[in-house]
Amino acid sequence: MSADQQARAGIQNPGSQAALRGLNEQRILATLRTHGTLTQAALARSTGLSTATISNIVKSMVSTGRVTTTPTTSSGRRALGVTVLDEADVAVGIDFGRSHVRVVLAKSGFRLLDEEFTALEVGHHVEASIDVAARMLEALCERTNTSRSQLIGAGIGIPGPIDHRTNMVIRGAILPEWVDLDIDALLRRALDLPVFIDNDSNLGALAQITWGEHQECANLCFLKIGGGIGSGLILNSSLHYGNLGVTGEIGHSTIFDQGLICRCGNRGCLETVASTGIMVELLSRTENAPVSIENIIERAEAGDSATLRVIDDVGVAVGHALANVANLINPEVIVLGGPLAPLGEALLAPIRRGLQRHAIPVIGENTTLCMSMLGDRAEALGAAALVLRQSAALP
Amino acid sequence: MSADQQARAGIQNPGSQAALRGLNEQRILATLRTHGTLTQAALARSTGLSTATISNIVKSMVSTGRVTTTPTTSSGRRALGVTVLDEADVAVGIDFGRSHVRVVLAKSGFRLLDEEFTALEVGHHVEASIDVAARMLEALCERTNTSRSQLIGAGIGIPGPIDHRTNMVIRGAILPEWVDLDIDALLRRALDLPVFIDNDSNLGALAQITWGEHQECANLCFLKIGGGIGSGLILNSSLHYGNLGVTGEIGHSTIFDQGLICRCGNRGCLETVASTGIMVELLSRTENAPVSIENIIERAEAGDSATLRVIDDVGVAVGHALANVANLINPEVIVLGGPLAPLGEALLAPIRRGLQRHAIPVIGENTTLCMSMLGDRAEALGAAALVLRQSAALP
């Protein structure tokens, strides 16, 4: 893990006093969550920490409002009961898309307070979308009676690979306007909050194991098919960032050596045969006006053969790329998200066929493929989860 | 993480007293390794554990020979200094190949004591190779003056995917003789030791971060090109096992949809265009007798154009498959092992070309590709490392 990744994961120098104290705090919180209210003596017995250590840490957690103490008696003696506070902390999740901004507010304990969605024009200025997000956040705070002091940070989803060395969007992203900007500074200034920036597919994956039905799943791949194709990987129950923070780039698997040039600079990438843009292009050729994604979904439901043929070809190509993923990292579940999710089995069936055709048999048979139940909100919910997990609230 | 994986990683029910005690032991050992001899009071200060907890755990570690205590004085008062013992434990590493067995003995602290290699006929019986390994182990113990009581376990490398639900080799492996056997029981009986079975490429990867020059590397891919093509993945500093234990199966990426049928049951897999078997087949067509891998290496060094052409094509195909790997998991380093390693740049250059042609630019530019410095011993060393890491000796 690089120093940067350690910082992201909230890990300081592992041998340091601060890191040790953090570990001890987490142990105390985890014990309280499992056992309810405990006396300091009982906490010491359960954690193996000294009573002096417990007393110090509890004192500091009381001052930051993380736990509360109540006088009680234990074996006839006066003692102090320690209880985790259902914290007032509220996390913001913001999902920036090519043509939308979505903002959610969530409390620790992973309760969604409220959300808002705004459509934007494709090609809008970055500053414009950040302004919109800031105004949506104000409105949400007002509506939910949330004071600014309760906001602990904003998770930000961006549909592009982010280089964790610089925290900048990498050239070739689906949002060229975001490339080379110091988005961290722009967002911090506009929102007046600590910000945690991540790739939208990573946040989709995090949402599945946080808010979704896969909380017990240690190895999961979240695939988002949209204007671009990206994936987020949960490996051993954590988001996988790799060396630079650029992972899950399935959209740039070469499918046809002599295929179309891709915005990444390569050729014949999966994105050049399977993105929503390509589907729209293929299906609009014989139309007077470009078809929309909604049109594609409606026509598929109505059984239109050209539409179903395009969906089938897209699915098999995606399945082929997913087979390489499954052969490599052997996830338990692959969850599909993005605007095509309403297609359901019409899209899942050809993907499953492509996966089973190209995966080694034992993996093909044992990899579950399903649609995300979180719909369009997966990325914004994941962004809020990023904040809640980074805050000390979650061990 | 599955219960099985937790057991492999030595993690019990995370909330249990035993798990907590294990964590505390590890914290104490880690502190002693960093600081040298410490008094129990200093250990309590450094770890945040109570002196009672420290005293209990040190007592138990003294009884199992993990640490030793010596009377000392601290601030003028009598105290007990605690020191980690350079343990007598010896780990066995055994690498079973299609035509060889290699056995190494290693001490904790990762010092190689001795090793032995025996060539076997292709198609030998499993029991025969296990008998050979058991006799080699006896000979090594005698030669190194190691008593059987010092042996803490044997790590076993098998060149095939292993289903962690059953601990059995999966059908389609390069060693068909090993499929469906209860190798765990066979090996335990023959060696009279606890055994830890893993895929050979996984062990090669483990060796790189344990004995190799990549000890600081958190994300590494070890690729073994031999009769089969497999890889082992170090992700976030741990071996990645995924859902079933079947990971890194790069050899079964489809390269040509209409290609040769592969032993895995699929078609056009990387193994059908890039294994050593295919290279031998291609280069033997115009010869009277089949060429050997040694011949291929000699001819490449002599500049034989047919040989270099075959190596080039193999390299580009491998590089293409590695680009998908790099785009997905973004390793810092990809290390090549297996019998072709002596080819050096003749093989690395076309792999690098294939990788950079198909990886997204920022990943192509930032992924280091190199040959393993551990040579043929990587897998056996990794097998010994598996034992040493599983034993409580290493936190």
Side-chain angles (χ1 to χ4, degrees), chain A residues 32-368:
Chain A
L32 290 173
R33 285 212 178 79
T34 327
H35 294 81
T37 299
L38 287 177
T39 63
Q40 298 201 46
L43 260 179
R45 278 196 301 277
S46 304
T47 58
L49 298 171
S50 69
T51 46
T53 303
I54 294 280
S55 163
N56 273 329
I57 293 178
V58 165
K59 210 172 290 169
S60 117
M61 289 199 296
V62 166
S63 75
T64 54
R66 311 265 296 286
V67 300
T68 184
T69 54
T70 41
T72 177
T73 53
S74 169
S75 316
R77 293 202 292 177
R78 286 198 303 176
L80 219 46
V82 187
T83 313
V84 181
L85 273 186
D86 181 14
E87 295 168 65
D89 293 353
V90 172
V92 184
I94 306 182
D95 169 37
F96 288 103
R98 236 171 21 130
S99 56
H100 75 267
V101 181
R102 185 185 298 270
V103 181
V104 304
L105 289 190
K107 274 208 148 180
S108 70
F110 297 97
R111 281 174 299 121
L112 181 64
L113 289 181
D114 205 346
E115 60 177 317
E116 215 174 288
F117 175 91
T118 302
L120 294 176
E121 301 229 335
V122 171
H124 59 267
H125 281 286
V126 171
E127 283 85 354
S129 63
I130 292 179
D131 277 353
V132 169
R135 281 202 303 273
M136 287 164 77
L137 175 58
E138 292 301 327
L140 279 171
C141 283
E142 204 158 312
R143 220 155 70 199
T144 57
N145 252 327
T146 303
S147 75
R148 282 208 65 96
S149 66
Q150 284 176 267
L151 302 181
I152 54 173
I156 310 286
I158 311 268
I162 292 159
D163 188 329
H164 283 187
R165 295 169 302 182
T166 57
N167 227 4
M168 284 188 186
V169 176
I170 286 170
R171 197 164 294 280
I174 196 93
L175 285 179
E177 304 82 16
W178 290 75
V179 173
D180 284 346
L181 290 182
D182 185 354
I183 44 178
D184 199 86
L186 284 175
L187 285 160
R188 254 186 293 121
R189 206 175 311 136
L191 302 172
D192 194 19
L193 283 174
V195 298
F196 305 88
I197 300 171
D198 211 331
N199 169 270
D200 62 342
S201 300
N202 282 349
L203 297 180
L206 194 61
Q208 304 309 314
I209 62 159
T210 307
W211 308 81
E213 70 259 63
H214 300 293
Q215 290 176 6
E216 302 299 312
C217 185
N219 294 285
L220 174 147
C221 171
F222 174 80
L223 182 75
K224 185 176 177 184
I225 310 178
I229 300 180
S231 73
L233 307 176
I234 302 293
L235 302 178
N236 279 329
S237 304
S238 297
L239 261 176
H240 179 64
Y241 289 109
N243 185 34
L244 309 173
V246 183
T247 55
E249 293 292 335
I250 300 175
H252 303 288
S253 307
T254 310
I255 296 288
F256 295 123
D257 267 6
Q258 311 292 327
L260 300 177
I261 297 295
C262 180
R263 61 190 162 79
C264 77
N266 255 318
R267 192 165 180 182
C269 296
L270 179 63
E271 278 193 17
T272 66
V273 299
S275 67
T276 51
I278 291 290
M279 293 172 79
V280 166
E281 208 177 308
L282 284 168
L283 289 166
S284 299
R285 223 174 67 88
T286 52
E287 305 277 328
N288 295 325
V291 302
S292 66
I293 292 173
E294 291 70 32
N295 294 150
I296 294 176
I297 293 167
E298 283 158 23
R299 290 179 192 186
E301 276 164 5
D304 176 64
S305 63
T307 304
L308 289 175
R309 173 63 201 264
V310 165
I311 292 170
D312 204 75
D313 288 351
V314 161
V316 170
V318 167
H320 180 164
L322 283 179
N324 288 342
V325 173
N327 282 346
L328 189 69
I329 59 167
N330 184 201
E332 187 182 334
V333 187
I334 298 175
V335 184
L336 248 73
L340 298 178
L343 286 172
E345 269 304 308
L347 181 58
L348 281 178
I351 294 181
R352 200 173 284 122
R353 229 180 316 126
L355 175 67
Q356 280 170 0
R357 164 72 182 75
H358 294 281
I360 68 172
V362 67
I363 287 180
E365 290 155 16
N366 288 285
T367 307
T368 303

Side-chain angles (χ1 to χ4, degrees), chain A residues 11-34:
Chain A
I11 303 167
Q12 292 123 311
N13 176 0
S16 73
Q17 282 303 314
L20 188 57
R21 190 186 182 94
L23 284 173
N24 289 340
E25 281 190 16
Q26 285 176 16
R27 191 182 278 190
I28 291 171
L29 283 171
T31 307
L32 290 173
R33 285 212 178 79
T34 327

Side-chain angles (χ1 to χ4, degrees), chain A residues 1 5 17 20 23-24 27 45-50 53 161 163 165 170 218-219 231 233 235-250 252-254 257 264 266-267 320 324-332 356-363 366, chain B residues 1 5 17 20 23-24 27 45-50 53 161 163 165 170 218-219 231 233 235-250 252-254 257 264 266-267 320 324-332 356-363 366:
Chain A
M1 205 187 274
Q5 287 170 319
Q17 282 303 314
L20 188 57
L23 284 173
N24 289 340
R27 191 182 278 190
R45 278 196 301 277
S46 304
T47 58
L49 298 171
S50 69
T53 303
D163 188 329
R165 295 169 302 182
I170 286 170
N219 294 285
S231 73
L233 307 176
L235 302 178
N236 279 329
S237 304
S238 297
L239 261 176
H240 179 64
Y241 289 109
N243 185 34
L244 309 173
V246 183
T247 55
E249 293 292 335
I250 300 175
H252 303 288
S253 307
T254 310
D257 267 6
C264 77
N266 255 318
R267 192 165 180 182
H320 180 164
N324 288 342
V325 173
N327 282 346
L328 189 69
I329 59 167
N330 184 201
E332 187 182 334
Q356 280 170 0
R357 164 72 182 75
H358 294 281
I360 68 172
V362 67
I363 287 180
N366 288 285
Chain B
M1 205 189 269
Q5 287 170 319
Q17 281 303 315
L20 186 58
L23 283 172
N24 289 340
R27 192 181 279 190
R45 277 196 301 277
S46 304
T47 58
L49 298 171
S50 69
T53 303
D163 188 330
R165 295 169 302 183
I170 285 169
N219 294 285
S231 74
L233 307 176
L235 302 179
N236 278 330
S237 304
S238 296
L239 262 176
H240 179 64
Y241 290 108
N243 185 33
L244 308 172
V246 183
T247 55
E249 293 291 337
I250 301 175
H252 303 287
S253 306
T254 310
D257 267 7
C264 77
N266 255 319
R267 192 164 181 183
H320 179 164
N324 288 342
V325 173
N327 282 346
L328 189 69
I329 59 168
N330 184 201
E332 187 181 333
Q356 279 170 1
R357 165 70 182 75
H358 294 281
I360 69 172
V362 67
I363 288 180
N366 287 286

Side-chain angles (χ1 to χ4, degrees), chain B residues 330-366:
Chain B
N330 184 201
E332 187 181 333
V333 188
I334 298 174
V335 185
L336 250 73
L340 297 178
L343 286 173
E345 269 304 308
L347 180 59
L348 282 178
I351 294 181
R352 200 173 283 123
R353 230 181 314 125
L355 174 66
Q356 279 170 1
R357 165 70 182 75
H358 294 281
I360 69 172
V362 67
I363 288 180
E365 289 155 16
N366 287 286

